Amino acid sequence: MKKILLTILLTVVLCSAWYLSASAEDSQGKKLYNGWCAQCHGYDGDAKSYTDKFSVPKPRDFTMGTYKFRSTPSGDPPTDADITKIVRNGNPGTSMPPWTRFTDDEVKAIVAHVKTFAPDIFKDAGKPITIGTPPKASAALIAKGKELFNKAKCVECHGKAGRGNGEKGWQENFKNDWGDPITPANYTHPWELRNGSTVEDIYRTISVGLGGTPMTSYMDSLKDEDRWALAVFIKSLQEQRKLGVAIKIKKTVAIPAKVDDPAWDSVEYMDLPMGGQLMFEPRDFTPLITNVRVRGLYSDKEFAIMVEWSDKKPNNGADGKPADTVWIQFPQKVTEEAEKPYFFMGDKKHPVYLWNWKASDAGKVTEQLAKGYDNVADLPKQDVTVIAGYNDGLYRVVYKRALKTGTKDDFEVLPGKFVPFSIVAFDGQNGESGIKGAVSSWYYLMLEPATPLRVYVFPPLVALCVFVGGLSLSRSLRSKK
Amino acid sequence: MKKLVALMCMVMFLCVSAAAFAADKYEVVDVKDGGSIKGIVKTSGAPADPVLDINKDTEYCGKSHPAGMYVIGAGGGVKNVIVAVEDITKGKAAPKTDTVIDNHKCAFEPLVSIAYMGQKYIMKNSDPIFHNTSIGLILAPGKKRTVYNLALPNKDQTIEKPVKVAGLESVSCDAHSWMRAFVYATPNPYAAITDDKGAFEIKDIPAGKYKVKFWHEGFGEAVVDVEVKAGAAATLDHTFAKK
């Protein structure tokens, strides 16, 4: 009996000592976590928070014990350094912000607190894999990587050009550990890569996988040098964004009649970062179209603008989801001395033209006049034509119109003059339609005069418009850049 | 005083949860004169076995495949039920048997298996197509914690990994959503899988009172109390209600 009493006493003493020391140590980490992380990740680490509806991917539920970003083999927990890295750098393309406000000690305390939500997985520390020096990229190595890309079946999920459109990615249970649907990554958009876009990052992703996702670990099935070759190949698919405020459109003899005419590939382009439409209900907090690329050509009589964007899964409206859609907006009155920027879908005083293309009727474009998001009418006379195509994860829509239509109130496009435009794009797979879609800020296009000017003078107001127009979008765009 | 009581409660709670954690701790002892549990798992009515709709790699995998979910023997015996003595903390050593998970003809073989902590998973691809083997601890419907997710891009590739996490785990292949299997990973030897007739037997159990869990992919779960007497066989039949 005495023995039992003693044991109980000892247990209570030990437990309370442990409890007291633990609570004293954790309090700083817990305080900081509750102050800065809990609104997304939940006070109990279970991601029960108001943000989960507005965030794709959802904030991590730490209680489940799966960590996506690891330097450790499949089956091992992340290291403290792995968690610290994501806290410091944030997660590009998601709502997870980079945290620079904390000292190293504070981050250490926060990381320790985060680990308490799933203590059992941290019983044994994970051992990071060795990442050596990447080989020098060469044509031969890229070719080898490409061969492996097919042989190791990456292509089946990621698609031929790596745009994330492989057929295996589109199955009913293609989900992550948290039960949310997921899609393969688009390599051509390095800004969307969550685990990093350097060759070393890609090598790490291929080796250990992304925890809790279908992105599986190849460490045991591919040799080290093969994983490096793959990483170099994937790096070679990444596109760098060409940002700007205005796109010059060059003159040509004849505008190509097909969307995939190789002539288009040598035409200078500009990239437009996209963000969700957040001004009017229904807002788009979780857009998937992060970039639209535009380029153009003109002839004596016509001009053409090609809009190009990645879409992992095309929707033409026949599968119960809305049809993929894209509009170009132009202000009704093109004046370089615009009084103020034309916002999304214009207003009564500043109507905009919409050139509205839908994948459900891909050979057609509808010209509309919008005087606000709730006031849109088809125009009686349609002057724009369109050709469109979808190939291996990439949409191309080419709009064509006469430089001067003769239709009353239609804007004229003259060489050397800046025309404001913006793009709105909808991904049906993501449930986008109506006014819930991704928007760009305002940009300018200009037909380059046949004898090029030596200097382009930006009208001062043009620069201002870009700035002010950009501000209204910046909130959503900032996280995408 | 209130604070003290609160603290005491907290301490109690923490101690209890610490004890819960220790549940997958297992002590190996000599079992002399142990008892056994044997029985038959039946059902009063099973639905028709579903047919899996195959829509990827159909040239190799075919277009459909019986799920093998409800394999019911004569007399209503249910095959592939996991039977496990859940709360046993002491007993004989688990066998030194590895657990093979083979990707064969676009299905996992076997469908249901037992893995022993400290032994190995042997993941294998017998098909000339890509498979990946993703093992995850089942946490709630539709939610899991990945234990391993490994690529097996080529035929006859084999990967071995230690069994480190105990519990009921799902096995899936992200490339073929219809593929599935289940593994019960345990630190002790006291688990079995029912045969064609729904029969099972678990031997050499130290005498005592236990909770036995029955789990089946389609019928779900049931926990039943049993008392094992030294040197005797306890009979534990179970019937899953009609689904």
Side-chain angles (χ1 to χ4, degrees), chain A residues 12 15-16 18-19 63-66 74-76 118-121 123 151-153 156 167-168 170-174 177-179 212-218 220-221, chain B residues 7-8 10-12 14-15 21 24 55-57 128-130 132-133 139 142-154 157 159 161 164 174-178:
Chain A
V12 170
C15 272
S16 37
W18 172 67
Y19 170 73
T63 62
M64 286 178 53
T66 297
S74 180
D76 278 12
D120 49 331
I121 69 155
K123 267 187 315 209
K151 236 166 99 186
K153 313 292 158 58
E156 295 186 359
E167 55 136 13
K168 293 281 165 60
W170 302 98
Q171 303 186 69
E172 217 179 297
N173 333 354
F174 208 73
D177 274 16
W178 300 273
T213 80
M215 180 59 213
T216 173
S217 156
Y218 281 88
D220 300 284
S221 47
Chain B
L7 189 71
M8 284 297 278
M10 197 71 184
V11 167
M12 286 302 278
L14 283 171
C15 291
F21 264 167
D24 56 309
N55 52 12
K56 304 283 171 197
D57 292 317
I129 57 171
F130 171 93
N132 66 312
T133 299
L139 300 178
K143 298 200 178 210
K144 63 181 181 2
R145 174 190 292 172
T146 297
V147 174
Y148 291 113
N149 182 356
L150 304 166
L152 292 161
N154 303 316
Q157 210 148 25
I159 299 177
K161 291 282 171 184
K164 289 198 293 195
D174 294 298
H176 306 108
S177 66
W178 65 88

Coordinates of all heavy atoms in Angstrom, one line a residue, chain A residues 12 15-16 18-19 63-66 74-76 118-121 123 151-153 156 167-168 170-174 177-179 212-218 220-221, chain B residues 7-8 10-12 14-15 21 24 55-57 128-130 132-133 139 142-154 157 159 161 164 174-178:
Chain A
V12 N 2.5 12.5 -9.4 CA 1.9 13.8 -9.4 C 3.0 14.8 -9.4 O 3.0 15.8 -10.1 CB 1.0 13.9 -8.2 CG1 0.6 15.4 -8.0 CG2 -0.2 13.0 -8.4
C15 N 4.7 14.9 -12.8 CA 3.8 15.5 -13.8 C 3.7 17.0 -13.6 O 3.7 17.7 -14.6 CB 2.5 14.8 -13.7 SG 2.3 13.4 -14.7
S16 N 3.6 17.4 -12.4 CA 3.4 18.9 -12.2 C 4.7 19.6 -12.5 O 4.6 20.7 -13.1 CB 2.8 19.3 -10.8 OG 3.4 18.4 -9.9
W18 N 6.8 18.7 -14.7 CA 6.9 18.7 -16.2 C 5.9 19.8 -16.7 O 6.3 20.6 -17.6 CB 6.5 17.3 -16.7 CG 6.4 17.3 -18.2 CD1 7.4 17.4 -19.1 CD2 5.2 17.1 -18.9 NE1 6.9 17.3 -20.3 CE2 5.5 17.1 -20.3 CE3 3.9 16.8 -18.5 CZ2 4.6 16.9 -21.2 CZ3 2.9 16.7 -19.5 CH2 3.3 16.7 -20.9
Y19 N 4.7 19.8 -16.2 CA 3.7 20.7 -16.6 C 4.2 22.2 -16.5 O 4.1 23.0 -17.4 CB 2.4 20.5 -15.9 CG 1.4 21.6 -16.2 CD1 0.7 21.6 -17.4 CD2 1.1 22.5 -15.2 CE1 -0.2 22.6 -17.7 CE2 0.1 23.5 -15.5 CZ -0.5 23.6 -16.7 OH -1.4 24.6 -17.0
T63 N -2.6 19.7 -36.4 CA -2.9 18.6 -35.5 C -2.8 17.3 -36.3 O -2.7 16.2 -35.7 CB -4.3 18.7 -34.9 OG1 -5.3 18.7 -36.0 CG2 -4.5 20.0 -34.1
M64 N -2.9 17.3 -37.6 CA -2.9 16.1 -38.4 C -1.5 15.5 -38.5 O -1.4 14.4 -38.9 CB -3.6 16.3 -39.7 CG -5.1 16.4 -39.5 SD -6.0 16.7 -41.0 CE -5.4 15.3 -42.0
G65 N -0.5 16.4 -38.3 CA 0.8 15.8 -38.3 C 1.4 15.6 -39.6 O 2.5 14.9 -39.7
T66 N 0.8 16.1 -40.7 CA 1.5 15.9 -42.0 C 2.1 17.3 -42.3 O 1.5 18.3 -42.2 CB 0.5 15.6 -43.1 OG1 -0.1 14.3 -42.8 CG2 1.2 15.5 -44.5
S74 N 10.6 10.8 -47.1 CA 9.2 10.4 -46.9 C 9.1 9.5 -45.6 O 9.9 8.6 -45.5 CB 8.6 9.7 -48.1 OG 7.3 9.3 -47.9
G75 N 8.3 9.9 -44.7 CA 8.1 9.1 -43.5 C 8.8 9.7 -42.3 O 8.5 9.3 -41.2
D76 N 9.6 10.7 -42.5 CA 10.3 11.4 -41.4 C 9.6 12.8 -41.2 O 9.1 13.4 -42.1 CB 11.8 11.7 -41.7 CG 12.6 10.5 -41.4 OD1 12.0 9.4 -41.2 OD2 13.8 10.6 -41.4
A118 N 1.2 18.3 -32.7 CA 1.2 16.8 -33.1 C 2.5 16.3 -32.6 O 3.4 15.9 -33.3 CB 1.2 16.7 -34.7
P119 N 2.6 16.2 -31.2 CA 3.9 15.8 -30.6 C 4.4 14.5 -31.0 O 5.6 14.3 -31.1 CB 3.6 15.9 -29.1 CG 2.1 15.9 -29.0 CD 1.5 16.4 -30.2
D120 N 3.5 13.5 -31.3 CA 4.0 12.2 -31.5 C 4.8 12.0 -32.8 O 5.7 11.2 -32.9 CB 2.8 11.2 -31.5 CG 1.6 11.6 -32.4 OD1 1.4 12.8 -32.5 OD2 0.9 10.7 -32.9
I121 N 4.6 12.9 -33.8 CA 5.4 12.7 -35.0 C 6.8 13.2 -34.8 O 7.7 13.0 -35.6 CB 4.7 13.4 -36.3 CG1 4.8 14.9 -36.2 CG2 3.3 12.9 -36.5 CD1 4.8 15.6 -37.5
K123 N 8.6 12.6 -32.2 CA 9.3 11.7 -31.3 C 10.8 11.5 -31.7 O 11.7 11.6 -30.9 CB 8.6 10.3 -31.2 CG 7.6 10.2 -30.1 CD 7.1 8.8 -30.0 CE 6.7 8.2 -31.3 NZ 5.7 7.2 -31.4
K151 N 10.1 8.7 -68.7 CA 10.3 7.3 -68.2 C 9.8 7.2 -66.7 O 9.3 6.2 -66.4 CB 11.8 7.0 -68.2 CG 12.1 5.8 -69.0 CD 13.6 5.6 -69.3 CE 14.3 4.7 -68.4 NZ 15.8 4.7 -68.7
A152 N 10.0 8.2 -65.9 CA 9.6 8.2 -64.5 C 8.2 8.6 -64.4 O 7.6 8.7 -63.3 CB 10.5 9.0 -63.7
K153 N 7.5 8.8 -65.5 CA 6.1 9.1 -65.6 C 5.6 10.4 -65.0 O 4.5 10.6 -64.6 CB 5.2 7.9 -65.0 CG 5.7 6.6 -65.5 CD 5.4 6.3 -67.0 CE 6.3 5.3 -67.6 NZ 6.2 4.0 -67.1
E156 N 2.8 12.0 -66.8 CA 1.4 11.5 -66.6 C 0.6 12.5 -65.7 O -0.6 12.6 -65.8 CB 1.3 10.1 -66.1 CG 1.9 9.1 -67.1 CD 1.7 7.7 -66.7 OE1 1.2 7.4 -65.6 OE2 2.2 6.8 -67.5
E167 N -3.1 13.7 -67.4 CA -4.4 13.1 -67.2 C -4.6 12.5 -65.8 O -5.6 12.5 -65.3 CB -4.7 12.1 -68.3 CG -3.7 11.0 -68.4 CD -4.2 9.6 -68.6 OE1 -5.5 9.5 -68.8 OE2 -3.5 8.6 -68.4
K168 N -3.5 12.0 -65.2 CA -3.6 11.4 -63.9 C -4.0 12.4 -62.8 O -4.4 12.0 -61.8 CB -2.3 10.7 -63.6 CG -1.9 9.5 -64.4 CD -2.7 8.3 -64.1 CE -2.6 7.2 -65.1 NZ -1.3 6.7 -65.4
W170 N -6.4 14.2 -62.9 CA -7.8 14.5 -62.9 C -8.6 13.3 -62.6 O -9.2 12.7 -63.4 CB -8.2 15.1 -64.2 CG -7.4 16.3 -64.4 CD1 -6.2 16.4 -65.1 CD2 -7.5 17.6 -63.7 NE1 -5.7 17.7 -64.9 CE2 -6.4 18.4 -64.1 CE3 -8.5 18.1 -62.8 CZ2 -6.3 19.7 -63.6 CZ3 -8.3 19.4 -62.4 CH2 -7.2 20.2 -62.8
Q171 N -8.6 12.9 -61.3 CA -9.3 11.7 -60.8 C -10.0 12.1 -59.6 O -9.6 13.0 -58.9 CB -8.4 10.6 -60.5 CG -7.5 10.2 -61.7 CD -6.7 8.9 -61.4 OE1 -7.2 7.9 -61.3 NE2 -5.4 9.1 -61.3
E172 N -11.0 11.3 -59.3 CA -11.9 11.6 -58.1 C -11.1 11.8 -56.8 O -11.3 12.7 -56.1 CB -12.9 10.5 -58.0 CG -14.3 11.0 -57.6 CD -15.2 9.8 -57.5 OE1 -15.4 9.1 -58.5 OE2 -15.6 9.5 -56.4
N173 N -10.2 10.8 -56.5 CA -9.6 11.0 -55.2 C -8.2 11.6 -55.3 O -7.3 11.3 -54.5 CB -9.3 9.7 -54.5 CG -10.2 8.6 -54.8 OD1 -11.2 8.8 -55.5 ND2 -10.0 7.4 -54.2
F174 N -8.0 12.5 -56.3 CA -6.7 13.2 -56.3 C -6.8 14.3 -55.3 O -7.1 15.4 -55.6 CB -6.5 13.7 -57.7 CG -5.0 13.8 -58.1 CD1 -4.3 12.6 -58.4 CD2 -4.4 15.0 -58.1 CE1 -2.9 12.7 -58.7 CE2 -3.0 15.1 -58.5 CZ -2.3 14.0 -58.7
D177 N -3.8 14.9 -47.9 CA -4.1 14.3 -46.6 C -5.2 14.9 -45.9 O -6.0 14.3 -45.1 CB -2.9 14.3 -45.7 CG -1.9 13.2 -45.9 OD1 -2.0 12.5 -46.9 OD2 -1.1 13.0 -45.0
W178 N -5.4 16.2 -46.2 CA -6.4 17.0 -45.5 C -7.8 16.8 -46.1 O -8.8 17.5 -45.7 CB -6.0 18.5 -45.4 CG -4.7 18.6 -44.7 CD1 -4.6 18.8 -43.3 CD2 -3.4 18.6 -45.2 NE1 -3.2 18.8 -43.0 CE2 -2.5 18.7 -44.1 CE3 -2.9 18.5 -46.5 CZ2 -1.1 18.8 -44.3 CZ3 -1.5 18.5 -46.7 CH2 -0.6 18.6 -45.6
G179 N -7.8 16.0 -47.2 CA -9.1 15.8 -47.9 C -9.5 16.8 -48.9 O -10.6 16.8 -49.5
G212 N 2.0 14.6 -47.8 CA 0.5 14.6 -47.8 C -0.1 14.9 -49.2 O -1.3 15.1 -49.3
T213 N 0.7 15.0 -50.2 CA 0.1 15.2 -51.6 C 0.5 14.1 -52.5 O 1.4 13.3 -52.1 CB 0.7 16.5 -52.2 OG1 2.0 16.2 -52.8 CG2 0.8 17.7 -51.2
P214 N -0.1 14.0 -53.7 CA 0.2 12.9 -54.6 C 1.7 13.1 -55.1 O 2.2 12.2 -55.8 CB -0.8 13.1 -55.7 CG -1.9 13.8 -55.1 CD -1.3 14.7 -54.1
M215 N 2.3 14.2 -54.9 CA 3.7 14.3 -55.3 C 4.6 13.4 -54.4 O 4.9 13.7 -53.3 CB 4.2 15.8 -55.2 CG 5.6 16.0 -55.6 SD 5.8 15.5 -57.4 CE 7.5 15.0 -57.3
T216 N 5.0 12.3 -55.1 CA 5.6 11.2 -54.4 C 7.1 11.3 -54.4 O 7.7 12.0 -55.1 CB 5.0 9.9 -55.1 OG1 5.6 8.8 -54.6 CG2 5.3 9.9 -56.6
S217 N 7.7 10.5 -53.5 CA 9.2 10.6 -53.3 C 9.9 9.6 -54.3 O 9.5 8.5 -54.4 CB 9.5 10.2 -51.9 OG 10.9 9.8 -51.8
Y218 N 10.9 10.2 -55.0 CA 11.6 9.3 -56.0 C 13.0 8.9 -55.5 O 13.8 8.5 -56.2 CB 11.7 10.1 -57.3 CG 10.5 10.1 -58.1 CD1 9.5 11.0 -58.0 CD2 10.3 9.0 -59.1 CE1 8.3 11.0 -58.8 CE2 9.2 9.0 -59.9 CZ 8.2 10.0 -59.7 OH 7.0 9.9 -60.5
D220 N 14.1 6.6 -53.6 CA 14.4 5.2 -53.7 C 14.3 4.6 -55.1 O 14.7 3.4 -55.3 CB 13.5 4.4 -52.8 CG 13.6 4.8 -51.3 OD1 14.6 4.5 -50.7 OD2 12.7 5.6 -50.9
S221 N 13.7 5.3 -56.0 CA 13.5 4.7 -57.3 C 14.4 5.4 -58.4 O 14.5 4.8 -59.5 CB 12.0 4.7 -57.7 OG 11.5 6.0 -57.5
Chain B
L7 N -5.3 23.3 -11.3 CA -4.0 22.8 -11.6 C -3.9 21.3 -11.4 O -3.4 20.6 -12.3 CB -2.9 23.4 -10.6 CG -1.5 23.1 -11.0 CD1 -1.1 23.9 -12.3 CD2 -0.5 23.5 -9.9
M8 N -4.5 20.8 -10.3 CA -4.6 19.4 -10.1 C -5.3 18.7 -11.2 O -4.8 17.7 -11.7 CB -5.3 19.1 -8.8 CG -4.5 19.4 -7.5 SD -3.1 18.3 -7.4 CE -3.8 16.8 -6.7
M10 N -5.6 19.7 -14.3 CA -4.8 19.8 -15.4 C -3.7 18.7 -15.4 O -3.5 18.1 -16.4 CB -4.1 21.2 -15.3 CG -3.5 21.7 -16.6 SD -4.8 22.1 -17.8 CE -3.8 22.4 -19.2
V11 N -3.1 18.6 -14.2 CA -2.1 17.6 -14.0 C -2.6 16.2 -14.3 O -2.0 15.4 -15.1 CB -1.5 17.7 -12.6 CG1 -0.6 16.5 -12.3 CG2 -0.7 19.0 -12.5
M12 N -3.8 15.9 -13.7 CA -4.4 14.7 -13.9 C -4.6 14.4 -15.4 O -4.3 13.4 -16.0 CB -5.8 14.6 -13.2 CG -5.7 14.5 -11.7 SD -4.8 13.0 -11.2 CE -6.1 11.8 -11.4
L14 N -3.1 15.8 -18.0 CA -1.9 15.6 -18.7 C -1.3 14.2 -18.5 O -0.8 13.6 -19.4 CB -0.9 16.6 -18.3 CG -1.1 18.0 -18.9 CD1 -0.2 19.1 -18.3 CD2 -0.9 18.0 -20.4
C15 N -1.5 13.7 -17.2 CA -1.0 12.4 -16.9 C -1.7 11.3 -17.7 O -1.2 10.4 -18.2 CB -1.1 12.1 -15.4 SG 0.1 13.1 -14.5
F21 N -0.8 8.1 -24.7 CA 0.3 8.0 -25.7 C 1.1 6.7 -25.6 O 1.6 6.2 -26.6 CB 1.3 9.2 -25.5 CG 1.0 10.3 -26.3 CD1 1.5 11.5 -26.1 CD2 0.1 10.2 -27.4 CE1 1.3 12.6 -26.9 CE2 -0.2 11.2 -28.2 CZ 0.4 12.5 -28.0
D24 N 0.8 2.6 -27.4 CA 1.5 1.7 -28.4 C 2.9 1.2 -27.9 O 3.6 0.6 -28.6 CB 1.6 2.4 -29.8 CG 2.2 3.7 -29.9 OD1 1.8 4.6 -29.0 OD2 3.1 4.0 -30.7
N55 N -10.6 4.1 -65.3 CA -10.6 5.0 -66.4 C -9.2 5.6 -66.7 O -9.0 6.5 -67.5 CB -11.5 6.2 -66.0 CG -11.2 6.8 -64.7 OD1 -10.1 6.4 -64.1 ND2 -12.0 7.6 -64.1
K56 N -8.1 4.9 -66.2 CA -6.7 5.3 -66.6 C -6.0 4.0 -66.9 O -6.3 3.0 -66.3 CB -6.0 6.0 -65.4 CG -6.7 7.2 -64.9 CD -6.6 8.4 -65.7 CE -7.5 9.5 -65.2 NZ -7.7 10.6 -66.2
D57 N -5.1 4.1 -67.9 CA -4.3 3.0 -68.3 C -5.2 1.8 -68.6 O -4.8 0.6 -68.3 CB -3.2 2.6 -67.2 CG -2.2 3.6 -67.1 OD1 -1.7 4.2 -68.1 OD2 -1.8 4.0 -65.9
P128 N 3.9 -3.2 -65.6 CA 4.8 -2.4 -66.5 C 4.4 -0.9 -66.6 O 4.7 -0.3 -67.6 CB 4.6 -3.1 -67.9 CG 3.2 -3.7 -67.8 CD 3.0 -4.0 -66.4
I129 N 3.6 -0.5 -65.6 CA 3.2 0.9 -65.7 C 3.5 1.6 -64.3 O 3.9 0.9 -63.4 CB 1.6 1.0 -65.9 CG1 0.9 0.3 -64.8 CG2 1.2 0.6 -67.2 CD1 -0.6 0.5 -64.8
F130 N 3.4 2.9 -64.3 CA 3.7 3.7 -63.1 C 2.7 3.4 -62.0 O 1.5 3.5 -62.2 CB 3.8 5.2 -63.4 CG 3.9 6.1 -62.2 CD1 5.2 6.5 -61.7 CD2 2.8 6.5 -61.5 CE1 5.3 7.3 -60.6 CE2 2.9 7.3 -60.4 CZ 4.1 7.7 -60.0
N132 N 2.4 4.6 -57.6 CA 3.1 5.1 -56.4 C 2.3 4.5 -55.2 O 1.1 4.2 -55.3 CB 3.2 6.6 -56.3 CG 1.9 7.3 -56.2 OD1 0.9 7.0 -56.9 ND2 1.7 8.2 -55.2
T133 N 3.0 4.2 -54.1 CA 2.4 3.6 -53.0 C 2.4 4.6 -51.9 O 3.4 5.0 -51.4 CB 3.1 2.3 -52.6 OG1 3.0 1.4 -53.8 CG2 2.5 1.6 -51.4
L139 N -7.1 9.0 -40.0 CA -7.4 9.9 -38.8 C -8.9 10.1 -38.7 O -9.4 10.1 -37.6 CB -6.7 11.2 -38.9 CG -5.2 11.3 -39.1 CD1 -4.7 12.7 -39.2 CD2 -4.5 10.6 -37.8
G142 N -11.8 10.4 -44.9 CA -11.2 11.4 -45.8 C -10.0 12.0 -45.4 O -9.4 12.8 -46.1
K143 N -9.5 11.8 -44.1 CA -8.3 12.5 -43.6 C -7.3 11.4 -43.2 O -7.6 10.5 -42.5 CB -8.6 13.4 -42.5 CG -9.6 14.5 -42.9 CD -9.5 15.6 -41.9 CE -10.5 16.7 -42.5 NZ -10.0 18.0 -42.1
K144 N -6.0 11.7 -43.6 CA -5.0 10.7 -43.2 C -3.7 11.5 -42.9 O -3.6 12.7 -43.1 CB -4.8 9.7 -44.3 CG -4.3 10.3 -45.6 CD -4.2 9.1 -46.6 CE -3.7 9.3 -48.0 NZ -3.3 10.3 -48.7
R145 N -2.8 10.8 -42.3 CA -1.4 11.3 -42.1 C -0.5 10.4 -42.9 O -0.3 9.2 -42.6 CB -1.1 11.3 -40.6 CG 0.3 11.7 -40.3 CD 0.7 11.4 -38.9 NE 0.0 12.3 -38.0 CZ 0.0 12.1 -36.6 NH1 0.7 11.1 -36.1 NH2 -0.6 12.9 -35.9
T146 N 0.1 11.0 -43.9 CA 1.0 10.2 -44.8 C 2.1 9.5 -43.9 O 2.8 10.2 -43.2 CB 1.6 11.0 -45.9 OG1 0.5 11.5 -46.7 CG2 2.5 10.2 -46.8
V147 N 2.3 8.2 -44.1 CA 3.4 7.5 -43.5 C 4.5 7.4 -44.5 O 5.7 7.7 -44.1 CB 2.9 6.1 -43.0 CG1 4.0 5.3 -42.4 CG2 1.8 6.3 -41.9
Y148 N 4.2 6.9 -45.7 CA 5.2 6.9 -46.8 C 4.4 7.2 -48.1 O 3.3 6.8 -48.2 CB 5.8 5.5 -46.9 CG 6.7 5.1 -45.8 CD1 6.4 4.1 -44.9 CD2 7.9 5.8 -45.6 CE1 7.2 3.7 -43.9 CE2 8.8 5.4 -44.6 CZ 8.4 4.4 -43.7 OH 9.3 4.0 -42.7
N149 N 5.0 7.9 -49.0 CA 4.5 8.0 -50.3 C 5.7 7.9 -51.3 O 6.5 8.8 -51.4 CB 3.8 9.3 -50.5 CG 3.2 9.4 -51.9 OD1 3.4 8.5 -52.7 ND2 2.5 10.5 -52.2
L150 N 5.8 6.7 -51.9 CA 7.0 6.4 -52.7 C 6.6 6.0 -54.1 O 5.6 5.3 -54.4 CB 7.7 5.2 -52.0 CG 8.1 5.5 -50.6 CD1 8.5 4.2 -49.9 CD2 9.2 6.5 -50.4
A151 N 7.4 6.5 -55.1 CA 7.2 6.2 -56.5 C 7.8 4.9 -56.8 O 8.8 4.5 -56.4 CB 7.8 7.3 -57.3
L152 N 7.0 4.2 -57.7 CA 7.5 2.9 -58.2 C 7.3 3.0 -59.7 O 6.3 2.4 -60.3 CB 6.7 1.7 -57.6 CG 6.9 1.4 -56.1 CD1 5.8 0.6 -55.6 CD2 8.2 0.7 -55.9
P153 N 8.1 3.8 -60.4 CA 7.8 4.0 -61.8 C 8.0 2.8 -62.7 O 7.4 2.7 -63.8 CB 8.8 5.1 -62.2 CG 9.8 5.2 -61.1 CD 9.2 4.6 -59.9
N154 N 8.8 1.8 -62.3 CA 9.2 0.8 -63.3 C 8.8 -0.6 -62.8 O 8.7 -0.9 -61.6 CB 10.7 0.8 -63.6 CG 11.1 2.1 -64.1 OD1 10.4 2.7 -65.0 ND2 12.2 2.7 -63.6
Q157 N 10.3 -3.0 -59.6 CA 11.0 -2.2 -58.6 C 10.5 -2.5 -57.2 O 9.3 -2.9 -57.1 CB 10.6 -0.7 -58.9 CG 11.7 0.3 -58.5 CD 11.6 1.5 -59.5 OE1 10.6 1.8 -60.1 NE2 12.7 2.2 -59.6
I159 N 10.8 -1.4 -53.0 CA 11.4 -0.5 -52.0 C 11.0 -1.0 -50.6 O 9.9 -1.5 -50.4 CB 10.8 0.9 -52.1 CG1 11.1 1.5 -53.5 CG2 11.3 1.9 -51.0 CD1 10.5 2.9 -53.8
K161 N 10.9 -0.3 -46.4 CA 10.9 0.7 -45.4 C 10.5 0.2 -44.1 O 9.6 -0.7 -44.1 CB 9.9 1.9 -45.8 CG 10.3 2.7 -47.0 CD 11.4 3.7 -46.6 CE 11.9 4.3 -47.9 NZ 13.0 5.3 -47.7
K164 N 7.0 2.0 -38.8 CA 7.3 2.9 -37.7 C 6.1 3.4 -37.0 O 6.1 3.9 -35.9 CB 8.2 4.1 -38.1 CG 9.6 3.7 -38.5 CD 10.5 4.9 -38.5 CE 10.2 5.9 -39.6 NZ 11.2 6.9 -39.8
D174 N -1.8 7.3 -56.2 CA -2.4 8.5 -56.7 C -2.6 8.5 -58.2 O -3.4 9.3 -58.7 CB -1.5 9.7 -56.3 CG -1.4 9.9 -54.8 OD1 -2.5 10.2 -54.2 OD2 -0.3 9.8 -54.2
A175 N -1.9 7.6 -58.9 CA -2.1 7.5 -60.3 C -3.4 6.8 -60.7 O -3.9 6.9 -61.8 CB -0.9 6.9 -61.0
H176 N -3.9 5.9 -59.8 CA -5.1 5.1 -60.1 C -6.0 5.1 -58.9 O -5.8 4.4 -57.9 CB -4.6 3.7 -60.4 CG -3.6 3.6 -61.4 ND1 -2.3 3.3 -61.2 CD2 -3.6 3.8 -62.8 CE1 -1.6 3.3 -62.3 NE2 -2.4 3.6 -63.3
S177 N -7.0 6.0 -59.0 CA -7.8 6.3 -57.8 C -8.6 5.1 -57.3 O -9.0 5.1 -56.1 CB -8.7 7.5 -58.1 OG -9.7 7.1 -59.0
W178 N -8.8 4.1 -58.1 CA -9.6 2.9 -57.7 C -8.7 2.0 -56.8 O -9.3 1.1 -56.1 CB -10.1 2.1 -58.9 CG -9.1 1.5 -59.7 CD1 -8.5 0.3 -59.6 CD2 -8.4 2.1 -60.9 NE1 -7.6 0.1 -60.5 CE2 -7.5 1.1 -61.3 CE3 -8.6 3.3 -61.5 CZ2 -6.7 1.4 -62.4 CZ3 -7.7 3.6 -62.6 CH2 -6.8 2.6 -63.1

